[in-house]
Amino acid sequence: MKYNLILFLTLFTLGGLAQTPKKLSLSNDRIQLVWASTAGGWRLQNVAVRKGKQWQTLAQPSGENTLLYAAEKPSDKPAETFKTITGEEFPGEKYHYQQVQWAESTNPVSLNTAGQATHFFPKTGQAAGKNHLTFRQETETATIQTDWSIDPQFPQDVIVKQTLTAKKGGFFSLASPSLSTVSEPNLAWASVPGYFQGTKLQPNFVLAYAYGHGIPNRPVIYRERCASTLAPMVSTKNGLTLAIIPEPGLARDPWAEDKNTQIVWNIGLSHMNRKAQLSPTLYYPVLGEPKSALKPGETVSYTFRYSLTDGDWFKALNHAIYEIYRFKEALALRQSKQSLTNRIQQMHQYLTDPKTSLWNVEEFEGKKIGAQSYLGGVVGSNKDAMKNSDYGAMWMLATATGDSLLTKNVLPYAQNFKLVQQETGNNFFKGAVEGQYYLAKSKKFVEEWGAVVEPIALTYYTMLDIGNMLLFEPTNQELKERLRFGAERLLIWQKPDGSWAVAYDKQTEQEIFKDIQDVRPTFYGLIVAHRILNDPKYLAAARKGADWLIKNAVETGSFLGVCGDARYAPDFATGQSAQGFLDLYDLTKDERYKQAAITAAKIYTASIYTHPIASRKPKTVNGTAREDWEISQAGLSFEHGGIFGSATRLGPIQLCSHAGMFIRMHQLTKEPIFADMARAGAIGRDAFVDPKTSVASYYWQAMNRGAGPYPHHAWWQIGWLTDYLVAEAELRSNGKVAFPRGFVTPKVGPHQTVGFAPGTVNGEKANLVVEENLVKIDNPSVDYLLARTEKKDKVFVILLNNSANASDFQFAAKGQKAITKQLPAFGLEIMTLEN
């Protein structure tokens, strides 16, 4: 009897164990996740994604969890110092703009060394419904519950909710479980959008962390403030992309209620887990930030999703932008209160008034030179710096208006400024510019941030500025000679591999900044030389430079910026590279350049904010009632992002130079994201426009304070707005409206000069004109362009509805009765006015 009882209990116990599940799974026809119960806890055994008719697996499934805990708040002081590949401590004493950002980016929390890390595989797991699993773990400091479920709306996504209940007081941070890790040999691409993208790990921390030239080999934690899209991701060589996307609303809102909250740090984003394994990871709360402080019994929870994409990083990025952060819906909210056309007209008035535009004429070397005051940071400036910006826009507006206030009072002196700015002596710098800025009191030209001469500056301030002037003055022999000086210097400075130096020391003539490569569109200057001077050697050299850039930038994701005061943090030059390749394709019809242009433009989409989701939530801005969408960052681009760009504190910029290029890319690729991002940046940005001058502020944080220290930005604004409207007209008319494109503008992006030659409208040759009283339209969503036929017998009015909704409006031509019209969403109509 005793023996039978023991046998019964043994069988009962074994039978009970047999009922404990050994595996748990989430699956549908797109993805499969399988956990196995092991002695160490529940581990992910298989992660698979259907790609076409085949199932592809992630080679290293994990499921490991990480909890960070600190009894005391971690230090916010830098924990380490770092050196460039040439041995200098970074960023260096003279880069004081960057020192604060670099310091906070190298503190223990940012470097992911703060706190005590507890790694575990959950001890208990169970099914909690169809395609819903729950795992629990008890640690010394907290209880963690993790709920997993497949999103019924997006079947490639797994929604995860983690809840932490504190057992001790202190600071807590949960790291998202590692769904799978990716080995470096299996890595195709990794990105934290807005910070970096790349194809391989970079051993030099400065190159990786500061410049995004390769993937950081440490599990650094990035802030949301410069994350353009909240979706760290890793792509594998078998064609899968694993991304992690926080639930909308988890990250900080940069203007939460009635003040700037740009630098609040709610979530941490990384491409690695705490163990430095490649695995997209989210950290919440951020250790040491207010939400991480918990008392015993207090809870904190957050929700995110893993997205398992059967394709590349760009497909995964689109999913995050459109389907999770609802970018298209936000675009539909945008309505302009002042038309873009009227902004151009009003800025024309601003720029012809020397008082408002801070226009100065000074004597230098026997010439009267003209430029606008520049009150930003320039080494050696005593509030006497002067600068011109967009020469193409200056000549375009003067030509289109015929305004003598421009043709007589501005252009001659601006041209003289350009002539004396160039070094013409027979020396190492012949053809280059002596500096971007003229200091009126000390009567000298200087560079932005030291005595340096950059080949990219030669491309910008010799080749592009003079080239754009020559489009309007093709017989100006003096300008042609000066252009040739620059072209020859670019040839001399070009290295055997096709690249250029970042800069030369002005005194020693030695190459400097050897720690970074010139992964910028310096080759574009030779495109200008070829088009204007028609010498095949310039085209050959441009192609050599472009080929090098494709290999070292486009294929690797590594780009450099053009702002010396920011030590060349990656910036809008990336978008400029895309247009440069597109222009080279137009000249050569070499498909490699078209593909490089498309890839560079796709990479540049990661310089455009797509969060938070814009809404109609009421907010107060400097005492003015606004709706959230009016001040939304979504749709705006960086000046420079990353760890130490201006966007870290000042937010994005209103200078939407990429808008026209993105419309051209949409026309070329049919990718919706290009058109939607262009329109989101251009339309309904009135909250940032000074109502007195119609000049937009530069940085987001300035709201509508206007030009401020940058009055020359009005020319860039006229340039990009015109380029955008012309590009939209060509797209929407299916080519019935088309105007020749000139060269990109210097420095700030890829917008191009127009108006130097007739285009075609409905098959007739016509010139762009600006006549402010010819047409009246009562709906600011409707913009227009004017083009007068070469015969001067008619004017075409090209109407553009810049709204995601249909627009009704009254149209009145000068001397004619108003008529009621309607245009569909983003529609176009060409009207003809007979002279």
Side-chain angles (χ1 to χ4, degrees):
M1 182 69 180
K2 184 177 180 181
Y3 170 81
N4 289 340
L5 179 59
I6 293 171
L7 177 62
F8 172 80
L9 289 172
T10 303
L11 290 172
F12 179 84
T13 303
L14 289 172
L17 286 173
Q19 299 306 309
T20 303
K22 295 291 184 181
K23 291 188 177 181
L24 292 168
S25 65
L26 295 174
S27 65
N28 58 21
D29 63 352
R30 298 282 297 278
I31 59 174
Q32 296 176 352
L33 280 69
V34 180
W35 284 260
S37 179
T38 71
W42 284 92
R43 295 172 178 259
L44 266 166
Q45 189 179 61
N46 184 56
V47 178
V49 181
R50 196 183 73 188
K51 189 173 173 64
K53 295 182 179 180
Q54 302 294 320
W55 286 90
Q56 298 281 348
T57 60
L58 291 170
Q60 297 171 192
S62 173
E64 187 172 44
N65 288 241
T66 299
L67 169 65
L68 304 181
Y69 172 78
E72 304 293 333
K73 184 177 179 178
S75 171
D76 60 358
K77 304 302 180 188
E80 302 175 50
T81 59
F82 298 92
K83 292 184 177 181
T84 67
I85 59 171
T86 49
E88 298 91 9
E89 189 169 313
F90 188 86
E93 290 184 3
K94 71 177 181 178
Y95 293 100
H96 50 261
Y97 289 165
Q98 280 63 54
Q99 285 169 357
V100 172
Q101 277 98 254
W102 185 251
E104 70 180 15
S105 298
T106 52
N107 67 32
V109 174
S110 297
L111 295 180
N112 205 357
T113 58
Q116 173 190 344
T118 301
H119 305 288
F120 62 89
F121 294 92
K123 290 297 182 187
T124 64
Q126 64 182 31
K130 185 178 179 181
N131 273 333
H132 183 180
L133 305 177
T134 297
F135 297 94
R136 287 178 64 86
Q137 177 74 21
E138 300 286 343
T139 74
E140 182 184 345
T141 57
T143 301
I144 297 104
Q145 177 172 313
T146 308
D147 293 284
W148 300 68
S149 60
I150 293 179
D151 188 338
Q153 187 175 3
F154 305 113
Q156 76 274 33
D157 287 5
V158 180
I159 298 174
V160 182
K161 180 180 181 181
Q162 285 199 296
T163 302
L164 178 151
T165 303
K167 294 180 178 179
K168 284 182 167 183
F171 296 85
F172 296 82
S173 179
L174 281 166
S176 55
S178 297
L179 192 70
S180 178
T181 62
V182 177
S183 65
E184 190 172 4
N186 192 33
L187 171 68
W189 190 265
S191 176
V192 176
Y195 284 100
F196 77 87
Q197 60 278 321
T199 58
K200 62 181 180 180
L201 296 179
Q202 167 60 257
N204 182 266
F205 188 69
V206 170
L207 276 178
Y209 198 40
Y211 291 99
H213 291 182
I215 301 164
N217 60 3
R218 299 177 59 155
V220 292
I221 300 178
Y222 295 97
R223 293 158 169 77
E224 66 262 49
R225 68 178 74 161
C226 280
S228 54
T229 294
L230 301 174
M233 62 184 72
V234 176
S235 299
T236 62
K237 288 183 177 174
N238 63 340
L240 304 180
T241 299
L242 170 60
I244 189 165
I245 309 169
E247 189 74 3
L250 195 65
R252 66 94 181 91
D253 182 332
W255 197 283
E257 298 290 343
D258 58 1
K259 64 183 178 182
N260 187 335
T261 46
Q262 165 76 358
I263 65 172
V264 170
W265 193 8
N266 282 353
I267 64 172
L269 305 159
S270 189
H271 59 299
M272 286 180 167
N273 60 27
R274 175 79 169 214
K275 292 182 175 180
Q277 298 166 315
L278 283 167
S279 184
T281 304
L282 178 65
Y283 292 85
Y284 186 85
V286 175
L287 199 67
E289 296 303 306
K291 292 181 181 180
S292 72
L294 298 177
K295 297 175 182 177
E298 290 185 330
T299 66
V300 65
S301 65
Y302 73 115
T303 302
F304 62 92
R305 67 183 58 226
Y306 291 111
S307 187
L308 293 156
T309 300
D310 59 344
D312 68 1
W313 65 270
F314 191 63
K315 184 176 181 180
L317 189 74
N318 270 267
H319 170 58
I321 291 170
Y322 280 109
E323 295 172 328
I324 309 305
Y325 279 81
R326 309 204 304 271
F327 194 72
K328 196 84 170 181
E329 293 176 32
L331 177 59
L333 295 175
R334 310 213 67 80
Q335 295 291 323
S336 293
K337 295 178 180 177
Q338 179 184 15
S339 71
L340 304 182
T341 304
N342 186 254
R343 275 185 60 194
I344 293 170
Q345 294 169 351
Q346 294 304 308
M347 282 190 284
H348 169 213
Q349 303 305 319
Y350 165 81
L351 287 162
T352 51
D353 183 339
K355 291 182 179 179
T356 57
S357 64
L358 304 184
W359 175 253
N360 309 285
V361 176
E362 299 282 344
E363 288 275 352
F364 182 78
E365 294 184 350
K367 287 183 181 289
K368 288 183 181 288
I369 63 172
Q372 290 170 272
S373 295
Y374 180 89
L375 302 176
V378 177
V379 170
S381 171
N382 185 19
K383 296 186 178 180
D384 61 337
M386 295 163 50
K387 179 179 180 176
N388 291 315
S389 58
D390 194 332
Y391 274 75
M394 294 168 83
W395 262 248
M396 180 275 295
L397 189 65
T399 302
T401 61
D403 187 346
S404 63
L405 292 176
L406 292 173
T407 59
K408 293 181 179 179
N409 297 356
V410 174
L411 267 54
Y413 306 115
Q415 182 168 309
N416 284 345
F417 184 95
K418 187 56 54 181
L419 292 171
V420 301
Q421 184 183 32
Q422 188 182 34
E423 175 61 63
T424 57
N426 289 317
N427 58 47
F428 183 73
F429 297 116
K430 181 180 180 179
V433 292
E434 295 187 21
Q436 291 183 57
Y437 304 88
Y438 178 68
L439 303 183
K441 293 176 183 176
S442 49
K443 292 191 177 296
K444 64 180 180 179
F445 283 89
V446 297
E447 202 36 80
E448 192 164 31
W449 220 243
V452 303
V453 178
E454 307 164 27
I456 189 76
L458 193 163
T459 283
Y460 284 168
Y461 307 114
T462 294
M463 306 307 294
L464 291 174
D465 283 342
I466 294 177
N468 275 323
M469 285 191 283
L470 279 164
L471 293 173
F472 293 88
E473 301 182 31
T475 61
N476 189 319
Q477 293 306 312
E478 184 176 19
L479 288 179
K480 280 189 176 181
E481 181 185 27
R482 295 303 192 87
L483 189 76
R484 194 179 297 278
F485 286 172
E488 292 299 315
R489 182 54 48 187
L490 279 177
L491 289 182
I492 292 168
W493 279 348
Q494 189 173 33
K495 298 180 181 183
D497 63 2
S499 68
W500 283 270
V502 170
Y504 296 100
D505 184 284
K506 201 168 187 178
Q507 273 71 50
T508 68
E509 301 179 0
Q510 296 299 304
E511 182 179 347
I512 52 177
F513 296 105
K514 289 186 175 182
D515 58 305
I516 44 181
Q517 289 184 303
D518 185 47
V519 275
R520 304 181 288 194
T522 307
F523 73 89
Y524 198 104
L526 293 165
I527 291 179
V528 178
H530 172 71
R531 279 183 57 180
I532 297 292
L533 302 174
N534 198 28
D535 190 328
K537 72 179 181 182
Y538 298 133
L539 180 59
R543 295 187 69 163
K544 188 176 181 181
D547 292 347
W548 180 88
L549 194 64
I550 290 171
K551 182 178 179 181
N552 291 276
V554 178
E555 292 177 3
T556 66
S558 301
F559 292 87
L560 194 69
V562 295
C563 294
D565 59 344
R567 207 184 188 276
Y568 309 115
D571 61 18
F572 25 47
T574 304
Q576 219 168 34
S577 295
Q579 188 63 61
F581 290 125
L582 198 58
D583 287 3
L584 198 52
Y585 169 70
D586 288 342
L587 286 171
T588 66
K589 300 306 175 186
D590 187 329
E591 283 289 320
R592 294 179 306 121
Y593 300 132
K594 182 171 80 170
Q595 291 307 313
I598 293 169
T599 301
K602 286 180 176 180
I603 290 171
Y604 195 63
T605 62
S607 290
I608 316 299
Y609 279 104
T610 61
H611 71 97
I613 299 171
S615 71
R616 294 195 179 278
K617 179 183 175 181
K619 293 185 174 181
T620 304
V621 180
N622 302 327
T624 300
R626 301 279 189 198
E627 291 188 356
D628 172 75
W629 66 266
E630 295 183 86
I631 60 168
S632 171
Q633 291 187 350
L636 297 177
S637 61
F638 300 141
E639 177 185 41
H640 16 74
I643 288 301
F644 63 89
S646 60
T648 56
R649 278 173 163 72
L650 305 179
I653 57 174
Q654 307 302 318
L655 202 57
C656 195
S657 177
H658 61 276
M661 182 270 286
F662 268 9
I663 293 295
R664 290 186 279 278
M665 284 296 168
H666 173 71
Q667 193 169 10
L668 185 66
T669 66
K670 311 307 179 193
E671 289 280 0
I673 193 170
F674 290 127
D676 290 340
M677 282 186 163
R679 293 164 180 169
I683 297 167
R685 293 293 175 179
D686 306 271
F688 301 97
V689 176
D690 179 1
K692 295 178 183 176
T693 65
S694 294
V695 181
S697 301
Y698 187 42
Y699 296 114
W700 171 88
Q701 63 88 30
M703 292 297 163
N704 66 346
R705 290 206 295 267
Y710 315 112
H712 63 291
H713 280 209
W715 284 116
W716 271 323
Q717 291 177 32
I718 286 173
W720 83 254
L721 285 167
T722 304
D723 181 45
Y724 167 68
L725 292 173
V726 170
E728 284 276 27
E730 182 170 344
L731 169 71
R732 299 184 203 176
S733 68
N734 293 315
K736 291 180 180 177
V737 177
F739 288 89
R741 290 183 286 110
F743 308 119
V744 298
T745 194
K747 197 170 188 174
V748 299
H751 73 260
Q752 294 185 294
T753 300
V754 292
F756 56 89
T760 56
V761 181
N762 285 342
E764 292 192 59
K765 291 279 189 181
N767 288 290
L768 281 174
V769 294
V770 174
E771 294 187 15
E772 295 167 19
N773 297 312
L774 183 62
V775 168
K776 298 294 181 188
I777 295 170
D778 67 351
N779 186 335
S781 291
V782 179
D783 289 295
Y784 66 89
L785 294 166
L786 300 176
R788 178 170 281 113
T789 59
E790 285 194 307
K791 298 177 183 178
K792 302 188 185 303
D793 60 339
K794 65 184 76 164
V795 174
F796 295 109
V797 183
I798 302 151
L799 299 167
L800 296 152
N801 178 24
N802 281 323
S803 170
N805 306 294
S807 290
D808 296 309
F809 59 100
Q810 291 283 307
F811 173 90
K814 189 174 183 180
Q816 297 182 16
K817 187 178 179 181
I819 57 174
T820 301
K821 300 189 71 63
Q822 184 184 77
L823 281 175
F826 296 114
L828 172 142
E829 182 179 342
I830 302 170
M831 299 186 67
T832 304
L833 303 179
E834 302 289 344
N835 276 358

